[in-house]
Every structure is written in C-alpha cells, then in structure tokens.
Amino acid sequence: MFANTPVEKMFFAGRDIFLKRDDLLHPDFSGNKARKFAYFLAHEFTGVKKVICHGSPQANSLYSLSALASIKGWQCDFYVDHIASHILNNPSGNYAAAVANGANIIDLSRLGGLNPDVGTRCQAYIEQQVLPYEPAALFIPEGGRCGYAEYGVSILANEIVVWSKMHNISDLKVFLPSGTGTTALFLNQYFIRQQTDIRVVTCAVVGGDAYLRQQFSMLNSDIREHPQIVNVGKKYHFGKLYPEFYAMWQRVCASGVQFDLLYDPLGFIVLEDYLQRSEPGVVMYLHQGGLLGNETMLPRYQRKFASDI
Ligand SMILES: *Cc1c(COP(=O)(O)O)cnc(C)c1O
C-alpha cells in the first residue's frame, strides 16, 4: 500500500545521524497521520459513509483525514472549537487543502446553545449530540490517538527493524518529537515485543513530560514499554512562535530537507542537547511530515520576527 520510505544520512550537531524520510510516504497522504490512519485505508468498513473527528482547524490530522475520506469515498466531518477569522478570510495550509478535499469543517462556537467553557467540548459534543444520530459514521479521536494507530505505526517500526538488520546496526535510538505520544509509544512497544535492541527517545512538544507519560499509559499501562522522554528544559507553548525554533528550523532546512515548523524545531533542539549529554550510538531522526502546515506557520514567523530575519 505504502512505499517503504527511504533512510538518508544527515549531518547534525557535529555528527552523522540517519533520517527516516516518512515525509515521502505518499504525495497526498504522508507522514505521521498517514501512518496512524493506515488501518482505515487498508480495511473495509462496510456501511461506513462518513468519518468524524475533531481538533484544530490547522491540524495535520484534518488534512490527512480529508485525504483518507476522499480516497475511501467518505464524507469528512471535522469539528473545531473555533475558526479564527483570518483563517476563514485567508485559507491556507492544512485548512485550505482539507476544504479542497471536500471536508466539512464545523465550528462549534457558531452552533447555538453550547456550554462555552468545556475544554473537551468537541469530544463531548460529538459523543452526546452527533454520534447517536450518525450510525454510518466512524469516529476517530483527536490526532488519531487510538488503538487503530498501532497497525500503521507497526508497519513503520518493521521498516526500521529491517533497515537496521540490513545495515548491521545495533542499539539504534529512534528519536522523534511527540504530540499525543501515540507514535512514539507504538514504535517502542513494537521494538521491545519483537525483541530488538532498538529504542525510542522522544520529547514532549504538547504539554509536559507528565502529560506525555499519562498519554503513554492510556495506550499501554506497562511503563517498561514506554519510550524514554528527554526533558525539554524550558516551558514552551504548543503552536507559539519562538526565535530559537525558527533558528533551528533554518539550520536543519539548510541540509536540503524541509522540516515542519511545529514539532521539528523543538525536536532538534532537544536532540542536540541529548547528543551532547549522552553517547547514544547510532541515532535515527524520524521525519514525520506535516509540511503543509508550514504554509501557515512560515508567514506567522516572518511577520513576528520580520525585523530580525
Ligand atoms: C501529529 C504529528 C506529530 C505527533 O505525533 P503523536 O503521535 O501525536 O505524538 C509529530 N509530527 C508531526 C508532523 C505530526 O503531524
């Protein structure tokens, strides 16, 4: 179904690391979310006519889900808390591409009669007010944080195992920045259960280490199978702009490969620190795609730091 994505060498922080190019998975359905949603692509869902999900209107998962839905011939209903007017007036990136794929993006703040203060409002609203009336719909939790993701992430894990055997590499560390931690958890779990010596090292890009550990536990209660978390050392807010993020992004993009502006800058900042503080042996960085989001992130960076860059 998917191509086995290539592994390249990359010079970073004074040494060679390997780069798993999962951004090259498929032109319309690539990277992290495509791996997580691969189960839905590979299986028949008799009677399903629609997929329902929720999240941010700029989320990579919105675009990937719209791509999945168009391949499967499903309708895609994506619930969001709010759509900022600049997104509506100036659609770009994941939002624009999802709309072009025919996704139906539903702004809950514009539906009347809702309790406005519920943080988990989208999920609760969908569970109580939508799903009971949608028997032909498949519900996928925000960001694809669900057991279904194990299927596609295991395929990715197996590609890495085969590659490391072919190159006679032992004690490989696979590094990736985490959001929900679903990818890191299912990768590490696979490496352990297949009795390999490959291990996952990650960092929390959304929330802190405690949040990430909690996310791991929701998918797997055995902490011996949880990935190693490297502390970020500083509090960053997800989706906010930081000059050191932009500087790191420019540094790694100078290698000739484009990285995403949401997860990769912090991923490489933490990886550099980790490489300097420990002797991890062979390291592979997982490029998880998400490049369409740069269409929205890059102009934000250019506006904010226009005087410095
Ligand atoms: C969703 C996403 C992540 C985070 O993946 P999790 O499995 O939620 O940790 C990282 N990078 C990119 C590009 C993503 O789209």
Short mmCIF file of all heavy atoms in Angstrom, two decimals, residues 32-33 36 60 143 177-184 260 263 288-290, ligand 1:
data_model
loop_
_atom_site.label_atom_id
_atom_site.label_comp_id
_atom_site.label_asym_id
_atom_site.label_seq_id
_atom_site.Cartn_x
_atom_site.Cartn_y
_atom_site.Cartn_z
N ASN A 32 3.25 11.36 9.70
CA ASN A 32 2.73 10.79 10.94
C ASN A 32 1.26 10.37 10.85
O ASN A 32 0.91 9.24 11.20
CB ASN A 32 2.92 11.85 12.03
CG ASN A 32 2.34 11.44 13.35
OD1 ASN A 32 1.13 11.45 13.52
ND2 ASN A 32 3.19 11.07 14.28
N LYS A 33 0.40 11.26 10.39
CA LYS A 33 -1.04 10.96 10.41
C LYS A 33 -1.39 9.86 9.42
O LYS A 33 -2.30 9.07 9.65
CB LYS A 33 -1.87 12.22 10.15
CG LYS A 33 -1.62 13.36 11.12
CD LYS A 33 -1.85 12.95 12.57
CE LYS A 33 -1.53 14.07 13.55
NZ LYS A 33 -0.08 14.33 13.72
N LYS A 36 -0.74 6.67 11.13
CA LYS A 36 -1.77 6.37 12.13
C LYS A 36 -3.09 5.97 11.49
O LYS A 36 -3.86 5.20 12.07
CB LYS A 36 -1.99 7.59 13.00
CG LYS A 36 -0.90 7.81 14.01
CD LYS A 36 -1.35 8.96 14.86
CE LYS A 36 -0.28 9.48 15.73
NZ LYS A 36 -0.62 10.85 16.14
N ASN A 60 -2.62 18.92 11.17
CA ASN A 60 -2.20 17.97 10.13
C ASN A 60 -3.24 16.86 10.00
O ASN A 60 -3.45 16.33 8.91
CB ASN A 60 -0.85 17.35 10.49
CG ASN A 60 0.28 18.37 10.51
OD1 ASN A 60 0.24 19.35 9.78
ND2 ASN A 60 1.28 18.14 11.34
N GLY A 143 -6.24 13.81 16.74
CA GLY A 143 -4.86 13.48 16.45
C GLY A 143 -4.62 12.01 16.20
O GLY A 143 -3.48 11.57 16.09
N PRO A 177 9.91 13.91 17.92
CA PRO A 177 9.14 14.76 18.82
C PRO A 177 7.71 14.24 18.94
O PRO A 177 7.12 13.82 17.95
CB PRO A 177 9.18 16.13 18.13
CG PRO A 177 9.44 15.85 16.69
CD PRO A 177 10.18 14.55 16.62
N SER A 178 7.14 14.30 20.16
CA SER A 178 5.80 13.76 20.40
C SER A 178 4.75 14.83 20.63
O SER A 178 5.02 15.85 21.26
CB SER A 178 5.81 12.85 21.64
OG SER A 178 6.29 11.58 21.31
N GLY A 179 3.55 14.54 20.15
CA GLY A 179 2.36 15.31 20.50
C GLY A 179 1.57 14.49 21.51
O GLY A 179 1.77 14.59 22.71
N THR A 180 0.70 13.63 21.00
CA THR A 180 -0.04 12.73 21.89
C THR A 180 0.84 11.58 22.37
O THR A 180 0.46 10.87 23.30
CB THR A 180 -1.24 12.12 21.16
OG1 THR A 180 -0.76 11.28 20.10
CG2 THR A 180 -2.16 13.18 20.58
N GLY A 181 1.97 11.35 21.72
CA GLY A 181 2.85 10.25 22.10
C GLY A 181 2.46 8.90 21.51
O GLY A 181 3.13 7.90 21.74
N THR A 182 1.40 8.89 20.73
CA THR A 182 0.90 7.64 20.16
C THR A 182 1.95 6.95 19.28
O THR A 182 2.18 5.74 19.39
CB THR A 182 -0.37 7.91 19.31
OG1 THR A 182 -1.30 8.64 20.11
CG2 THR A 182 -1.00 6.64 18.81
N THR A 183 2.60 7.74 18.43
CA THR A 183 3.59 7.18 17.52
C THR A 183 4.78 6.62 18.29
O THR A 183 5.22 5.49 18.06
CB THR A 183 4.05 8.26 16.52
OG1 THR A 183 2.89 8.92 16.01
CG2 THR A 183 4.85 7.66 15.39
N ALA A 184 5.32 7.43 19.21
CA ALA A 184 6.49 7.01 19.99
C ALA A 184 6.17 5.73 20.78
O ALA A 184 6.98 4.80 20.82
CB ALA A 184 6.92 8.13 20.93
N ASP A 260 9.14 20.44 9.43
CA ASP A 260 7.94 21.16 9.82
C ASP A 260 8.27 22.16 10.94
O ASP A 260 9.27 22.03 11.64
CB ASP A 260 6.83 20.17 10.21
CG ASP A 260 6.59 20.11 11.70
OD1 ASP A 260 7.50 19.66 12.41
OD2 ASP A 260 5.52 20.51 12.15
N TYR A 263 6.69 20.79 15.19
CA TYR A 263 7.30 19.76 16.04
C TYR A 263 8.82 19.69 15.88
O TYR A 263 9.54 19.48 16.85
CB TYR A 263 6.73 18.38 15.69
CG TYR A 263 5.27 18.18 16.01
CD1 TYR A 263 4.29 18.45 15.07
CD2 TYR A 263 4.87 17.72 17.28
CE1 TYR A 263 2.94 18.25 15.36
CE2 TYR A 263 3.54 17.52 17.57
CZ TYR A 263 2.57 17.79 16.61
OH TYR A 263 1.25 17.60 16.89
N GLN A 288 8.44 13.27 10.34
CA GLN A 288 7.04 12.85 10.37
C GLN A 288 6.14 13.67 9.46
O GLN A 288 4.92 13.67 9.63
CB GLN A 288 6.52 12.90 11.80
CG GLN A 288 7.36 12.06 12.75
CD GLN A 288 6.81 12.08 14.17
OE1 GLN A 288 5.90 11.32 14.48
NE2 GLN A 288 7.34 12.94 15.00
N GLY A 289 6.76 14.41 8.52
CA GLY A 289 5.93 15.15 7.56
C GLY A 289 5.36 16.42 8.17
O GLY A 289 6.04 17.10 8.95
N GLY A 290 4.12 16.73 7.81
CA GLY A 290 3.47 17.93 8.35
C GLY A 290 3.85 19.21 7.62
O GLY A 290 3.61 20.30 8.13
C1 LIG B 1 0.79 14.52 14.72
C2 LIG B 1 2.24 14.81 14.48
C3 LIG B 1 3.22 14.55 15.47
C4 LIG B 1 2.86 13.99 16.82
O1 LIG B 1 2.52 12.64 16.77
P1 LIG B 1 1.97 11.90 18.07
O2 LIG B 1 1.77 10.51 17.67
O3 LIG B 1 0.67 12.59 18.42
O4 LIG B 1 2.97 12.07 19.15
C5 LIG B 1 4.54 14.86 15.18
N1 LIG B 1 4.91 15.39 13.99
C6 LIG B 1 4.00 15.65 13.03
C7 LIG B 1 4.47 16.25 11.75
C8 LIG B 1 2.64 15.37 13.24
O5 LIG B 1 1.74 15.62 12.27
#
